[in-house]
Amino acid sequence: LKDAENTELPTEVRLRAINQIAGIGGGNEGRGEVVFSRVCSACHRIGDTGKAFGPRLDDVGIRYSKAEIIRHTLWPNDTIAKGYETVQV
């Protein structure tokens, strides 16, 4: 996780770290819900929980691989969903 978050490392090293994290089995849905409610729900919605500022995350598990979800979580500004880009007039 330290390598994946370290912006001073080359992108290839960071991506390898993300793929390694994605290979870890297990997980706890309850912990994920806590993280979502504390961090992600300020901008995103799942069901009736959260705010409709950013894209909905109901189907994120279908749209993205585990590694892509981790990458989007750690590097949220790397790829902005269409329609949610910042526009300056």
Side-chain angles (χ1 to χ4, degrees):
L1 185 57
K2 286 169 76 174
D3 285 351
E5 291 181 315
N6 187 345
T7 57
E8 294 179 12
L9 291 175
T11 302
E12 304 82 44
V13 172
R14 296 177 72 199
L15 288 172
R16 271 198 309 270
I18 286 173
N19 287 328
Q20 193 172 16
I21 294 167
I24 298 172
N28 181 310
E29 186 177 325
R31 285 183 170 170
E33 288 178 19
V34 170
V35 171
F36 176 81
S37 67
R38 290 182 183 171
V39 181
C40 311
S41 66
C43 298
H44 299 281
R45 286 183 70 92
I46 293 179
D48 295 330
T49 304
K51 297 202 172 58
F53 181 75
R56 292 188 64 89
L57 300 180
D58 297 282
D59 64 345
V60 74
I62 296 167
R63 290 186 292 146
Y64 299 111
S65 70
K66 195 173 180 181
E68 289 171 319
I69 293 170
I70 294 166
R71 191 188 70 185
H72 288 303
T73 302
L74 295 177
W75 308 347
N77 296 324
D78 190 47
T79 306
I80 306 296
K82 187 171 176 69
Y84 293 94
E85 310 92 339
T86 300
V87 178
Q88 187 173 10
V89 180

